[in-house]
Amino acid sequence: MAENRQPIELDKAIASASKTAGMPRWIQMLIFVFVIGLLAFFAIGLRARGESQPSSGVAPDFKITSMDGRTQYTLSDLKGKVVVINFWASWCQPCRDEAVFFQNTWSAYKDRGVIFIGVDYVDTESAAQGYLKQYGITYFNGTDLASEISQKYRIKGVPETYFVGKDGNIHGNSLGPVAPDSSYMTELAFKSKLEELLAQ
C-alpha cells in the first residue's frame, strides 16, 4: 500500500510547484529544488526495492550487540569462521517453525567453527526475549536497531538466512523458511551447506 501512496504524494508536490507563477523567483527556485530532491529520493527508493538480496560477494559488514548487552560481534572480525545470519521476528510463524532446528544445528556445529547470528527484525524486546526463551535458543541474538542490518542485506521479509564463508564472502542464502520439505531450503541442504563451507 505504501508504494501506491508515493506517486500520489509526488503528483501533489508537482501540482503545488505549478501554481507558483505569482510567487517571488527565489521561492519558485526553492520549490523547484525541493521537487527535484523529492524525485531523486523516490527514484533511489524504488531502485533499492528492485535490488535482490545478496547471494555472493563480500558480506555487508555490521556490528550487532546481543540482547543481554554482554557480547558484540563485528562480522568482518569473524573471518576464518563459518557464519550463519538469520533474520527473524517473534511475530513470524515460519521463523517459529525453524527455531528448534536452528538451535539444534548450532549446538551440533558450534565446536566446529560455526557461528550463528540471529538478527531480530522489527520486534519488541519483550516479545523477542519471550521467543528465545520459548524455543530454548542460546546462540547469539541481537536486535536490528533502526533496521540498519536488514537494509544492508535488502531483506524482503522474514525469515531470511545468509551463509558467510571463512573468506568473508556470502555463499548462498535461503529467502524463506528452512524446513524438511521447504521449497526455499531443506534442513538437509542447510547442513550440507555448512559442511561445504567448513571444508573450504
Side-chain angles (χ1 to χ4, degrees):
M1 295 300 292
E3 291 183 7
N4 292 332
R5 287 199 298 270
Q6 288 180 356
I8 294 172
E9 292 168 357
L10 188 56
D11 289 343
K12 288 181 180 178
I14 295 172
S16 67
S18 68
K19 297 176 182 178
T20 62
M23 294 183 180
R25 188 165 182 78
W26 70 271
I27 294 181
Q28 293 181 35
M29 290 299 296
L30 188 64
I31 293 175
F32 175 76
V33 170
F34 171 75
V35 171
I36 293 300
L38 201 60
L39 284 167
F41 174 79
F42 288 136
I44 292 170
L46 290 170
R47 180 179 178 184
R49 279 194 294 276
E51 293 179 350
S52 60
Q53 300 95 319
S55 60
S56 61
V58 177
D61 199 17
F62 61 84
K63 290 183 180 180
I64 185 169
T65 302
S66 61
M67 289 186 181
D68 60 13
R70 296 178 182 177
T71 309
Q72 185 180 76
Y73 277 147
T74 298
L75 181 61
S76 57
D77 290 342
L78 300 177
K79 280 190 176 180
K81 304 278 189 182
V82 173
V83 181
V84 176
I85 305 168
N86 175 247
F87 292 89
W88 63 274
S90 65
W91 43 263
C92 163
Q93 184 56 50
C95 301
R96 292 179 174 271
D97 294 340
E98 67 182 12
V100 173
F101 169 76
F102 270 64
Q103 172 62 28
N104 290 342
T105 304
W106 172 75
S107 295
Y109 281 86
K110 64 180 180 178
D111 294 329
R112 297 179 58 189
V114 177
I115 294 175
F116 277 40
I117 298 178
V119 183
D120 184 30
Y121 175 74
V122 189
D123 216 340
T124 64
E125 183 177 354
S126 59
Q129 294 284 9
Y131 173 97
L132 298 179
K133 183 177 180 180
Q134 178 180 353
Y135 294 101
I137 297 173
T138 56
Y139 59 83
F140 181 100
N141 274 272
T143 302
D144 186 10
L145 299 175
S147 300
E148 180 181 348
I149 304 171
S150 57
Q151 289 178 28
K152 288 184 175 182
Y153 283 78
R154 302 190 294 272
I155 74 166
K156 301 294 193 294
V158 286
E160 288 189 8
T161 303
Y162 297 82
F163 299 91
V164 180
K166 299 175 185 178
D167 57 1
N169 291 332
I170 295 178
H171 292 264
N173 57 36
S174 174
L175 303 180
V178 177
D181 56 353
S182 174
S183 60
Y184 294 98
M185 177 172 275
T186 65
E187 294 177 354
L188 181 60
F190 184 98
K191 291 181 178 180
S192 295
K193 174 62 73 173
L194 294 184
E195 293 293 344
E196 172 191 326
L197 294 176
L198 286 169
Q200 292 180 353

